[in-house]
Every structure is written in C-alpha cells, then in structure tokens.
Amino acid sequence: MDTFKRRNFLKKGTLAVLAASGGLAACRSADSENQAQKTRKSDKIFRWKMVTTWPPHFPVLGENVDKFARLVEKMTDGRIQIQVYGAGELIPAYEVFEAVSLGAVELGHSAPYYWAGRVQASQFFASIPFGMNSQQMIAWILGGGGLQLWQEVYAPFNIVPYLGGCTGMQMGGWFNREINNINDFKGLIMRIPGLGGKVVKKIGGSPITVAGAEIYTNLERGVIDACEWIGPFHDYLLGLHRVAKYYYYPGWQEPGTPLEVLVNKNALAELTDDLKAILETAIMHLHTTIFAEAEAKNAEYLDKLIQEEKKELRRFPADVLAAMNEQLLEVVREMIATDPVSKKVYESYENFRQRAIRYSEATEQSFYRDLQSAKSALKI
C-alpha cells in the first residue's frame, strides 16, 4: 500500500471511529435528555379519585385517608389533587378493587381479604387466623419480600398495592350466645370476612360479610348472632356493646391486619419520578398514622367498655381455640392445593413466621412472662 493510500485509509478509519463515537455521544445525550425529562418536575395537574371501603370520614381510617389526600396536594404543590369518596358515595364498599383495576378511579383504600373471591391469595396480605401479629406482618411485607409478592399477585389486575395502615390485633367479637364449646358455633350466623369466615363455616357456623354501616342493625334485629368489626374503639362508636351481651377475646381471626392503598398501574406510570416518590412517601405516612392511632384508641376504649359500660370480657375456651386452629390448617391446605399463587405466597409467609416465632420467644414472649411477677413493682 503506497503512502497516499495508507494515509487515506487511516483518515477514513479515523472518521468512522469519530462518527461512531459521535453517534454514541448523541445516543447518550438523547438518553440523558429522556431521563431528565422523566425526572423533571411536571407542570401537569393530576386530578385523581380515591374510593374507600369505609363510610365517609370514618374515624381513624377514613379521616386519615382525607388527611393523606390533603398531604399529597400540599407536598406536590397542587400537582396531584385527590378527591376522596367513602363507601356508597361513588361506588359500593366492596367494588373498590374493581374500580381501581378498570381505571374508573386512580386510588383505593381497603383491606386485602375483601377480594378473596377474585384473588384468593390476597387474604394472606390481610391477616391469617392464629398467624403473625401486626409488627410481624409489617416486617414480612416491608422487609421480608411480602410487598414484592403482593405486587406480583395484583399485577394481572392492573393494580399496584402498597401497605396502607394496620388495625392491630382485634378482639374475638360480639356474641349474643355464650361460647362454651365448639358446638356452640353450630348454626351461628356471624359477620366475619376472610379466612376467619372459612373457619367458622368449617365448624358449623354461617359466615357473612356486610358493610360496617349494616352491622349494628343486623345484630340488633337478630339477623346475625355475632360479629367482629375492627377493635374496641370502632366497636364502641358503632354501639355494638348495646346490642350484644358478650365480648370475647382473643382475636384469633385477625391477630394483625394490614390495610392497603390500591393504585391503578396506568395512572401511576403517568407520574414523574418526583411525584411518584411523594405519593409513596405520603402512603407510608398514612400507614404509620393509622397504625399508631388504632393502637392508642383501642387501648383507651377497651378500658372505657370495661370501666364505664361494665362489659364483661369473655375468653374463648382453650379447646375451642385449638379446634378452630385445626380447621384453619385444613382451610389453608385446601387453598394451596388448588391455587399455585396462594401456595407461593403462603410459603413465603410461613417461612417468615417461623423465624419471627423463634425471635419472639427469645425476646418479647420471655420478657412479658418474666414481667408477670414484677407488675406491681412497675406501678408508681
């Protein structure tokens, strides 16, 4: 190759490399611009609707959803405006999941076990009878892979779920008949959702699910013989102590019940990164405030029921609890045998529960057992 040709070849090669590198730079520049566009604050105003399973402005739950909407608007400087609708104002209480799934509304607030007929595995993200308590459930969801599974389960329905509160451990419920043995459940009509309802059915009862606003009237008129609602605070506000004789404990059916915020996947995808981060931060604030207020109010109003209303607490007999636990195991076996999704979620749940039990036995359970003999010493 002569000198001219060699120089010409090298020149063309150099230009090709420069062109290629320029192209790469241009691609990088375009990618950077796209990313900047995605993360840049948007001037677009999103006007969203949020429906709940609770009555309008319902104490603790609905009230904090109202505050959540105001907080989001304030934090986004008005770029996300949320109109909240209580149960029955826009849609019926138990159509929240469907409304968010179809995109009729952008947001919902409810409890996962209400969708058992549509998504069987959803029940494991609410509360499993005789299962993990509130702090253990929250730990599994936020730190043990539960949230990722939850989002995977809801993905086919165009919904992204988030942890949206927790009502703590419930009481066993209000009864107009005494429970002395397992046979006392036979023929008993009880308002109870989720897996707890399936257990009641297994032992001969008739579980039904009715909205909170209907519970008092149904119990007063004898349409139902028993019910469980949320906890002492909400039970008191609903007046259940006036239409039922016996208040049983412990809340075997719901030892720790997380709530959920449902977000339509398409609506969420429209948000810029800053708006999405604000929304998720506000949801976490909603979760912590509901959980804290529920714990505080339930402790206060259990005392009120005992001291002021003179209600006598009844403990479920040990053999009744043992029999119900056996039936629960049968219910779960049937679920995971026929539904691979439920099996996957349950295995994650159960693996975490076993570790949580070992830890609890060495810490909290031991601590409270040792305190029994020292209670009087703690009084000032």
Side-chain angles (χ1 to χ4, degrees):
M1 184 181 291
D2 59 31
T3 302
F4 174 78
K5 288 182 178 179
R6 184 165 53 250
R7 287 176 178 173
N8 193 43
F9 173 79
L10 292 172
K11 181 179 179 182
K12 288 180 178 179
T14 302
L15 289 173
V17 171
L18 289 172
S21 63
L24 291 173
C27 289
R28 285 195 295 269
S29 177
D31 288 343
S32 298
E33 178 60 27
N34 289 338
Q35 183 62 28
Q37 184 69 27
K38 184 179 179 182
T39 57
R40 189 178 296 139
K41 286 187 176 181
S42 170
D43 293 328
K44 180 179 178 180
I45 295 177
F46 296 88
R47 292 182 174 87
W48 284 6
K49 295 185 286 292
M50 184 172 190
V51 292
T52 80
T53 306
W54 332 116
H57 319 300
F58 189 60
V60 179
L61 279 61
E63 288 173 348
N64 276 296
V65 170
D66 294 338
K67 292 176 184 176
F68 160 78
R70 293 195 294 270
L71 179 63
V72 169
E73 183 169 353
K74 184 176 182 179
M75 291 174 72
T76 62
D77 196 25
R79 287 177 290 154
I80 300 180
Q81 299 174 15
I82 300 171
Q83 178 65 49
V84 178
Y85 297 90
E89 288 190 314
L90 190 63
I91 62 167
Y94 297 126
E95 292 184 13
V96 170
F97 187 93
E98 191 75 10
V100 177
S101 177
L102 294 174
V105 299
E106 290 77 15
L107 294 165
H109 191 255
S110 191
Y113 49 38
Y114 290 134
W115 325 128
R118 184 81 183 272
V119 194
Q120 188 169 233
S122 68
Q123 298 170 95
F124 293 120
F125 302 109
S127 191
I128 296 183
F130 303 102
M132 289 193 283
N133 64 21
S134 299
Q135 72 182 46
Q136 292 166 342
M137 283 293 293
I138 292 169
W140 172 59
I141 291 170
L142 296 182
L147 182 59
Q148 290 74 21
L149 279 172
W150 199 352
Q151 293 178 344
E152 181 183 323
V153 170
Y154 280 18
F157 302 94
N158 206 38
I159 290 175
V160 180
Y162 293 92
L163 183 61
C166 187
T167 56
M169 185 167 189
Q170 297 193 5
M171 298 291 288
W174 295 90
F175 289 72
N176 274 325
R177 69 165 72 168
E178 290 187 84
I179 303 297
N180 296 312
N181 58 66
I182 200 66
N183 291 325
D184 290 324
F185 273 93
K186 293 189 183 301
L188 181 136
I189 303 173
M190 182 174 185
R191 185 272 178 196
I192 179 171
L195 292 173
K198 290 182 171 62
V199 171
V200 168
K201 186 175 182 178
K202 282 277 188 183
I203 58 179
S206 298
I208 64 171
T209 301
V210 297
E214 302 172 24
I215 296 175
Y216 180 95
T217 302
N218 286 346
L219 195 58
E220 181 184 38
R221 295 178 179 177
V223 176
I224 57 178
D225 305 304
C227 70
E228 58 81 54
W229 183 213
I230 299 176
F233 173 61
H234 289 96
D235 292 0
Y236 181 92
L237 294 185
L238 200 57
L240 298 180
H241 58 286
R242 295 196 294 268
V243 290
K245 296 179 181 179
Y246 311 109
Y247 201 21
Y248 274 90
Y249 74 100
W252 60 273
Q253 78 286 359
E254 294 189 43
T257 308
L259 305 175
E260 62 185 357
V261 171
L262 307 173
V263 187
N264 178 269
K265 184 179 179 180
N266 297 335
L268 186 64
E270 291 182 4
L271 299 182
T272 53
D273 286 351
D274 65 312
L275 291 180
K276 184 178 178 181
I278 289 171
L279 182 69
E280 292 178 345
T281 300
I283 289 173
M284 183 55 65
H285 182 269
L286 171 67
H287 161 69
T288 54
T289 52
I290 285 179
F291 188 25
E293 288 183 21
E295 288 286 292
K297 292 289 188 182
N298 283 331
E300 176 186 353
Y301 276 76
L302 181 62
D303 275 352
K304 187 183 289 287
L305 285 166
I306 295 170
Q307 302 298 332
E308 297 179 14
E309 302 298 330
K310 309 301 180 185
K311 302 304 294 188
E312 181 183 350
L313 302 186
R314 297 287 185 96
R315 182 179 177 86
F316 286 118
D319 59 339
V320 169
L321 293 172
M324 290 193 291
N325 192 19
E326 281 297 316
Q327 294 303 318
L328 169 72
L329 297 176
E330 185 62 27
V331 168
V332 173
R333 288 191 196 102
E334 291 173 358
M335 283 181 62
I336 64 177
T338 57
D339 183 17
V341 176
S342 291
K343 185 175 187 293
K344 181 178 181 180
V345 175
Y346 177 72
E347 286 175 350
S348 171
Y349 173 97
E350 184 60 18
N351 288 336
F352 191 92
R353 188 179 76 90
Q354 291 299 329
R355 292 194 298 272
I357 287 173
R358 288 191 291 271
Y359 179 63
S360 178
E361 287 175 345
T363 54
E364 290 181 328
Q365 292 185 47
S366 176
F367 175 72
Y368 286 119
R369 280 195 302 268
D370 292 343
L371 268 182
Q372 294 304 310
S373 60
K375 276 185 176 179
S376 60
L378 297 176
K379 294 180 179 179
I380 297 176

